């Protein structure tokens, strides 16, 4: 067992950390996602970390990708921006890389990897969240094209996306084996993107509903094969539940640094609050949570690279990292006390941005179900 980083992985971490800190220091109140901070992420290579070099990406394996994502999460406190970019990478670009034919890869992947085009994953519906088998959006074949009808909701990046990865039912009789994945251009007639949601967390990742009304999609835009949509979606979840959540490792690392600094300089009753065991032990628990999450997550990425992963491994990493991110942000809020609720600190935003980790990419309760099934229960 070797827990050290390779020279390449450490170089990647240091480079992305420095770039992410520069991004995080920008003060634009409403950043332009295309020409502003998104461009900065693209220049750091974040939009194409795991995309093979032949398709315009960095070609990193899962461990190195996660290491870069962790650096981004530590350096940049804008988790909404990072979630936006990483959802684009793992839920849009990577499914095309892994399942699209060469024609589709050549056309779509390089501009996605470069950040020149922005991708969005459209699967969730009002009646189909955790239960993706309940999809009602349909795609009916008509010769050389499909007609899409239905409505997707909570589509991250929808207001700014150029390309939508859409999951629709093509054969209702086959259940989840009757779901197909389509790469749909934003300007396709019949595609309507709603107004951005007003949401309290991950605010710099815009989201909206997307409605399809007899939207004509060429059969050549099917990703993989008809009926393969469920498997494609699950492959994207492998990336999200492991590598994307490395951003929360970085966030926890940053919060611990800030909390230690605060606890050693904040004076109460004539001494630093760190001298109180209740404070120092709370910070010790924050560190313990981070390191156990880090071990679980990187072990999962290592297994992904060896193609030895199981749903149990991925669920353990996702669940523990998500819950640890929330509790660590709560602890930081407690230790910063009143100042945590000031816009002068990142603590309050970190808490708001950590809470959705329990929900997206499969809720914490769904992860517990997967763990139970992995144990044979």
């Amino acid at each position: 067992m070797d827990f050290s980083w390779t020279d390449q992985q450490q170089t990647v971490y240091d480079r992305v950390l420095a770039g992410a800190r520069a991004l995080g220091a920008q003060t634009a109140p409403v950043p332009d996602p295309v020409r502003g901070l998104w461009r900065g992420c693209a220049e750091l290579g974040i939009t194409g970390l795991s995309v093979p070099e032949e398709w315009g990406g960095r070609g990193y394996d899962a461990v190195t990708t996660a290491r870069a994502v962790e650096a981004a999460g530590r350096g940049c406190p804008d988790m909404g921006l990072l979630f936006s970019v990483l959802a684009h990478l793992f839920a849009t670009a990577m499914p095309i890389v892994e399942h699209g034919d060469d024609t589709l890869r050549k056309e779509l992947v390089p501009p996605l990897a470069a950040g020149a085009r922005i991708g969005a994953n459209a699967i969730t519906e009002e009646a189909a969240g955790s239960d993706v088998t309940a999809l009602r959006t349909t795609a009916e074949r008509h010769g050389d094209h499909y007609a899409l009808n239905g409505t997707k909701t909570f589509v991250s990046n929808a207001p700014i996306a150029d390309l939508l990865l859409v999951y629709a039912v093509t054969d209702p009789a086959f259940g989840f084996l009757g779901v197909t994945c389509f790469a749909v251009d934003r300007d396709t007639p019949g595609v309507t993107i709603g107004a951005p949601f007003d949401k309290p967390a991950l605010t710099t990742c815009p989201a909206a509903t997307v409605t399809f009304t007899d939207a004509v999609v060429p059969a050549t835009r099917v990703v993989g094969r008809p009926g393969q949509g469920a498997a494609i979606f699950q492959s994207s979840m492998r990336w999200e539940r492991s590598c994307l959540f490395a951003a929360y490792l970085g966030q926890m690392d940053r919060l611990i640094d800030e909390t230690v600094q605060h606890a050693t300089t904040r004076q109460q009753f004539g001494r630093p609050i760190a001298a109180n065991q209740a404070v120092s032990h709370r910070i010790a628990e924050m560190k313990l949570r981070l390191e156990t999450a880090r071990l679980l997550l990187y072990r999962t990425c290592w297994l992904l690279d060896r193609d030895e992963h199981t749903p149990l491994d991925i669920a353990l990493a996702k669940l523990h990292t998500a819950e640890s991110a929330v509790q660590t942000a709560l602890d930081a809020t407690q230790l910063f006390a009143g100042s945590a609720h000031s816009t002068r600190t990142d603590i309050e935003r970190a808490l708001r941005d950590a809470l959705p980790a329990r929900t997206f990419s499969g809720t914490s309760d769904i992860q517990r179900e997967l763990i139970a099934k992995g144990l044979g229960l």
Side-chain angles (χ1 to χ4, degrees):
M1 299 173 70
D2 184 358
F3 293 96
S4 61
W5 303 111
T6 66
D7 290 343
Q8 181 203 29
Q9 288 164 347
Q10 192 58 48
T11 298
V12 167
Y13 181 89
D14 292 340
R15 178 181 59 81
V16 174
L17 178 61
R21 282 175 171 161
L23 281 176
Q26 295 189 29
T27 57
V30 183
D32 184 323
V34 178
R35 295 183 295 275
L37 299 181
W38 254 84
R39 180 180 297 170
C41 289
E43 290 173 353
L44 286 175
I46 298 174
T47 51
L49 291 171
S50 52
V51 174
E53 290 180 296
E54 65 180 304
W55 303 116
R58 298 295 174 121
Y60 296 154
D61 60 14
V63 171
T64 308
T65 295
R67 186 63 173 157
V69 171
E70 180 181 349
R74 184 176 183 181
C76 179
D78 189 347
M79 190 63 72
L81 170 68
L82 297 181
F83 179 80
S84 178
V85 172
L86 296 171
H88 151 96
L89 170 61
F90 297 132
T92 308
M94 289 309 297
I96 301 171
V97 167
E98 294 184 330
H99 300 280
D101 59 30
D102 282 351
T103 301
L104 211 55
R105 291 182 184 127
K106 184 177 181 180
E107 176 190 357
L108 301 179
V109 175
L112 291 173
R117 300 189 77 196
I118 295 175
N121 170 46
I123 187 168
T124 302
E125 300 177 5
E126 288 291 346
S130 296
D131 182 9
V132 296
T133 64
L135 295 179
R136 295 180 180 175
T137 298
T138 61
E140 186 175 345
R141 182 76 182 255
H142 298 281
D144 62 355
H145 70 272
Y146 288 81
L148 268 63
N149 286 280
T151 299
K152 300 293 185 177
T153 189
F154 297 110
V155 182
S156 295
N157 290 342
I160 59 172
D162 302 293
L163 183 74
L164 303 161
L165 217 59
V166 183
Y167 295 84
V169 177
T170 49
D171 195 335
F174 286 91
F176 73 91
L177 294 177
V179 175
T180 300
C181 179
F182 299 87
V184 182
D185 291 324
R186 174 196 184 92
D187 58 3
T188 299
V191 176
T192 303
I193 296 177
F197 292 155
D198 184 13
K199 52 195 180 79
L202 303 174
T203 55
T204 47
C205 175
T209 60
V210 182
T211 301
F212 304 92
T213 307
D214 291 327
V216 175
V217 180
T220 55
R221 283 299 191 93
V222 170
V223 180
R225 299 186 305 276
Q228 200 179 10
I232 293 172
F233 175 70
Q234 288 304 321
S235 73
S236 72
M237 287 299 97
R238 291 202 309 268
W239 286 101
E240 280 202 357
R241 292 172 181 172
S242 54
C243 293
L244 185 150
F245 275 79
Y248 283 106
L249 298 181
Q251 182 188 76
M252 286 188 276
D253 218 353
R254 186 182 68 255
L255 288 177
I256 290 171
D257 286 346
E258 293 175 0
T259 304
V260 168
Q261 174 67 20
H262 175 74
T264 54
T265 56
R266 170 69 169 166
Q267 296 275 332
Q268 289 289 280
F269 304 105
R271 62 178 185 172
I273 62 171
N276 298 301
Q277 192 175 73
V279 171
S280 61
H281 282 194
R282 188 183 293 268
I283 297 174
E285 290 294 329
M286 294 167 70
K287 179 65 172 177
L288 176 62
R289 243 180 266 119
L290 166 62
E291 295 303 333
T292 52
R294 183 176 276 142
L295 287 169
L296 275 171
L297 189 140
Y298 280 108
R299 176 179 176 272
T300 295
C301 292
W302 179 76
L303 290 170
L304 283 170
D305 287 331
R306 294 166 61 92
D307 199 24
E308 296 177 0
H309 60 280
T310 68
L312 172 63
D313 303 311
I314 296 170
L316 285 167
K318 195 277 186 187
L319 173 63
H320 187 63
T321 305
E323 296 296 324
S324 295
V326 173
Q327 188 57 53
T328 296
L330 283 169
D331 285 342
T333 301
Q334 182 70 26
L335 294 175
F336 272 80
S339 62
H341 304 282
S342 167
T343 56
R344 292 182 294 106
T345 72
D346 294 321
I347 308 302
E348 185 263 348
R349 179 167 67 169
L351 176 57
R352 284 188 288 112
D353 287 348
L355 286 170
R358 288 174 162 172
T359 304
F360 69 75
S361 301
T363 67
S364 287
D365 288 331
I366 288 293
Q367 305 313 308
R368 292 184 178 96
E369 282 291 304
L370 292 171
I371 293 165
K373 289 180 181 178
L375 294 174
L377 299 174

